Amino acid sequence: MLQLMLLYVCGLLALAMVVCVRWKRRKLYAAAASMDGPPCLPLLGHVYLIFGKRCGEDILQVLDRFAPRYKSPIGMWMGPKLIVGIKDNPEYFQTVLNSPHLLNKMEQYNFFRIVNGLFAAPDHMWKNERKLLNRSFSPMMLASFVDTFNDKDFIMVDNLRKLVGKGEVDLHLPIAKCTIDSIFGTAFGKDLNTQGHDEADEYLHSLDTFFSLVFKRMLNVERYPERLYRLTKDFETETSCLKVIRDMSHDLMQQLKVNSQQTKTQPEKADSCERKPNLNFAESLFDIAEHNPRWNEGNIRDHIDTMIVAGHDTTATTMSNLLLMLAIHPEVQEAVYQEVMSICPDKSKPVTTEEANGLVYTEMVCKETMRLFPVGPIIGRTCTADVKLDEKHTIPKGCCVALGIYQLHRDPSIWGPEAEKFNPDHFLPEKVAERHPYAYLPFSGGPRNCIGIRYAWLSMKILIAHLVRNYRFSTSLKMEDLKVKFAIILRITNGCIVSIESR
């Protein structure tokens, strides 16, 4: 009898706890009930959809299968956590990306141990630091970077000569070396010269492996607790990759520190107007640290890691995709070539800022590449206060929001019935004017967009001008052959497989 009474009391207590939890979370349940989405299981929610999914290709298959069936906002329960998915309404994207209550990244971004700068910093830190670091990407600073872009691009053009007539090769590594050299030369004022040797190969491989492991961890909820994750083989591999990545940024930081101290000891000029009006990224970091006692070497290192990782890898991936698109579409490549030759025809001369700005069609091709293959396919934010999407839907405080950039960029209701096809005419001025400004978000949007947007456009157009006026690219790959995967950065798994012919 006593045992029955104890069971009865325990049952009542359990029921009371459930009722209490559900009452406290009533806004979440009410919001989810108003949203579209797949069938939900008790306790598990929608976790069953990703059971057994361990890689980016698997997740893309899930998205391709379920995303077209439902309209935004989509309510997804990952266990007790509500995730609001938005994939097909530019108005919703605009609301989320401009809301002051949706500036913080999802908790899973903390798995990125090497990009804790502007990429993953909480909003109170990000606001001040972004404002101070913006000067490193001012028009005047960008103009000063052009010589470096050209120098590194000339080296790449010369290195590709040995691949002419050698059949199909993957050009991602040469492109990655060129972009990382440009990042070091512009943002940090250091000549790394990875294109002259193979020492950076280990770094680039470690970076790719690290991203894959972080994404794999995101898909395995049981690996979220740090203590459990440390017991896995992947943690050991990740730590090894992290050491390679950290060693490069540590060596760079020590050199930058010496340069900064030497600059301080130099006598100041009498006329303040003669002082350097802008600082590159590294100089800005040390300038902030000098005037902010809360900053330490850890803060500087985080920003250096973020700039190296985000700055070169995203640009290298986009340039690889762009070159592949030109190889698959020879008529587009010819149009780009004709435009380049009409503006900057001399192969021996650098491409100026004015000339790069004149490459209008080339920029359209860049934009179309980033439409089909956005390097950041999903953006995750945490909601710190209720945000109203429209009269029917509200994003409740405490949930997460997943913005499907990849799905947005391929939505037929926005891009037409042939949204999956490569067509630079999508970015003709008249078509851009007809489209919602938040229908195209390759660099995110709102106040927390990518700080290096103008840097990326300028560096990519200069590089593609150098490449197409020297070489013709072709490939046996077709659009229907291409496979993509989600691994934090969206990648074409086929690689940049092209043949090179001198012009």
Side-chain angles (χ1 to χ4, degrees):
M1 187 68 178
L2 181 60
Q3 290 179 334
L4 287 174
M5 288 186 66
L6 286 174
L7 287 173
Y8 180 71
V9 171
C10 289
L12 287 176
L13 289 173
L15 179 61
M17 288 178 64
V18 170
V19 171
C20 182
V21 169
R22 288 193 68 89
W23 174 254
K24 288 182 178 179
R25 295 163 57 84
R26 62 191 183 278
K27 280 190 176 182
L28 293 173
Y29 292 113
S34 72
M35 298 176 185
D36 205 357
C40 182
L41 296 180
L43 299 179
L44 289 177
H46 296 93
V47 175
Y48 71 91
L49 295 174
I50 60 172
F51 277 160
K53 311 301 181 185
R54 293 295 181 262
C55 65
E57 292 93 331
D58 292 340
I59 293 301
L60 189 57
Q61 289 174 7
V62 173
L63 292 174
D64 285 344
R65 178 184 175 188
F66 287 99
R69 301 183 187 181
Y70 307 102
K71 284 291 184 181
S72 302
I74 300 171
M76 303 285 289
W77 287 100
M78 306 309 284
K81 193 73 175 178
L82 175 63
I83 299 178
V84 177
I86 296 175
K87 65 175 184 68
D88 55 17
N89 188 321
E91 289 285 350
Y92 290 168
F93 277 85
Q94 185 173 18
T95 298
V96 169
L97 292 173
N98 287 281
S99 171
H101 308 304
L102 283 159
L103 289 173
N104 284 317
K105 302 294 182 76
M106 290 173 62
E107 294 177 3
Q108 287 84 347
Y109 281 68
N110 293 326
F111 297 159
F112 292 95
R113 306 162 195 264
I114 56 172
V115 285
N116 294 320
L118 289 177
F119 179 73
D123 61 348
H124 65 278
M125 292 176 58
W126 162 82
K127 288 177 183 177
N128 293 329
E129 294 171 7
R130 171 65 181 259
K131 188 181 299 183
L132 293 169
L133 292 171
N134 273 336
R135 61 185 175 180
S136 302
F137 297 92
S138 67
M140 188 177 295
M141 283 304 298
L142 288 177
S144 72
F145 294 161
V146 170
D147 287 345
T148 301
F149 291 150
N150 279 288
D151 289 345
K152 303 308 176 184
D153 295 350
F154 275 125
I155 294 173
M156 181 179 173
V157 166
D158 191 53
N159 287 343
L160 290 185
R161 298 195 192 285
K162 60 176 178 272
L163 300 177
V164 172
K166 300 296 184 182
E168 292 190 335
V169 293
D170 190 345
L171 290 188
H172 180 73
L173 183 59
I175 292 171
K177 287 186 172 185
C178 180
T179 56
I180 199 170
D181 276 356
S182 292
I183 282 290
F184 270 74
T186 55
F188 305 115
K190 175 178 170 55
D191 187 8
L192 193 64
N193 191 27
T194 65
Q195 297 185 91
H197 53 74
D198 297 328
E199 292 179 11
D201 292 11
E202 183 184 13
Y203 173 84
L204 296 171
H205 174 72
S206 297
L207 195 59
D208 189 54
T209 303
F210 176 81
F211 277 146
S212 297
L213 292 175
V214 169
F215 190 72
K216 182 179 179 181
R217 185 181 180 187
M218 286 182 171
L219 299 180
N220 292 266
V221 180
E222 71 276 8
R223 294 187 174 201
Y224 281 22
E226 186 70 17
R227 289 184 178 180
L228 293 180
Y229 184 55
R230 286 176 177 271
L231 300 176
T232 66
K233 180 70 174 177
D234 284 349
F235 175 77
E236 183 179 332
T237 305
E238 182 185 301
T239 302
S240 177
C241 293
L242 198 60
K243 183 180 185 306
V244 174
I245 298 167
R246 283 293 199 194
D247 283 349
M248 177 175 278
S249 61
H250 178 268
D251 292 344
L252 174 62
M253 188 171 69
Q254 296 309 310
Q255 294 177 35
L256 293 174
K257 188 191 299 184
V258 172
N259 294 340
S260 176
Q261 291 171 346
Q262 290 175 347
T263 301
K264 289 179 188 177
T265 59
Q266 294 175 357
E268 294 190 6
K269 297 178 181 179
D271 186 357
S272 60
C273 294
E274 296 180 11
R275 294 178 187 174
K276 193 172 183 178
N278 287 281
L279 305 174
N280 68 25
F281 190 77
E283 291 167 339
S284 290
L285 291 178
F286 284 100
D287 186 59
I288 294 171
E290 183 180 354
H291 298 92
N292 191 337
R294 294 178 299 173
W295 265 51
N296 53 38
E297 287 193 5
N299 297 109
I300 297 174
R301 186 186 62 192
D302 286 341
H303 282 287
I304 289 174
D305 281 330
T306 300
M307 179 53 63
I308 296 174
V309 173
H312 104 270
D313 200 30
T314 54
T315 305
T317 299
T318 298
M319 277 302 308
S320 296
N321 298 343
L322 172 58
L323 209 56
L324 185 60
M325 290 301 100
L326 293 180
I328 292 175
H329 303 90
E331 72 287 353
V332 174
Q333 182 177 174
E334 182 62 22
V336 170
Y337 172 72
Q338 293 298 333
E339 181 181 66
V340 169
M341 296 306 289
S342 69
I343 294 175
C344 44
D346 193 336
K347 300 178 183 181
S348 65
K349 289 185 178 180
V351 180
T352 67
T353 303
E354 292 73 21
E355 290 170 340
N357 290 337
L359 297 174
V360 177
Y361 183 74
T362 302
E363 183 170 319
M364 289 167 57
V365 175
C366 292
K367 288 181 176 179
E368 178 67 354
T369 300
M370 296 192 76
R371 180 184 74 84
L372 289 176
F373 308 103
V375 286
I378 297 177
I379 298 173
R381 299 285 177 88
T382 297
C383 191
T384 57
D386 292 355
V387 175
K388 188 175 181 179
L389 285 178
D390 54 29
E391 293 302 320
K392 185 179 178 181
H393 301 109
T394 296
I395 301 174
K397 175 184 177 180
C399 76
C400 293
V401 179
L403 300 172
I405 307 296
Y406 180 83
Q407 285 74 29
L408 177 73
H409 284 186
R410 292 172 178 247
D411 189 341
S413 67
I414 299 171
W415 303 94
E418 296 185 330
E420 300 283 335
K421 289 189 176 181
F422 182 83
N423 182 9
D425 285 352
H426 281 131
F427 292 94
L428 288 168
E430 59 270 23
K431 292 194 175 181
V432 172
E434 295 172 355
R435 210 161 41 234
H436 193 287
Y438 279 73
Y440 180 67
L441 298 166
F443 296 100
S444 184
R448 197 156 187 174
N449 65 347
C450 175
I451 193 173
I453 295 176
R454 290 178 297 183
Y455 179 101
W457 287 132
L458 183 61
S459 63
M460 287 193 294
K461 287 196 288 184
I462 290 176
L463 177 54
I464 203 64
H466 279 283
L467 293 177
V468 299
R469 71 184 184 181
N470 282 276
Y471 303 109
R472 181 180 288 107
F473 302 93
S474 59
T475 182
S476 60
L477 291 172
K478 306 296 182 186
M479 288 295 287
E480 56 268 24
D481 299 329
L482 303 185
K483 305 294 182 185
V484 299
K485 69 174 182 178
F486 281 24
I488 311 305
I489 290 177
L490 184 78
R491 300 189 189 279
I492 298 176
T493 57
N494 309 69
C496 182
I497 305 299
V498 299
S499 296
I500 308 175
E501 176 188 347
S502 293
R503 289 193 183 269

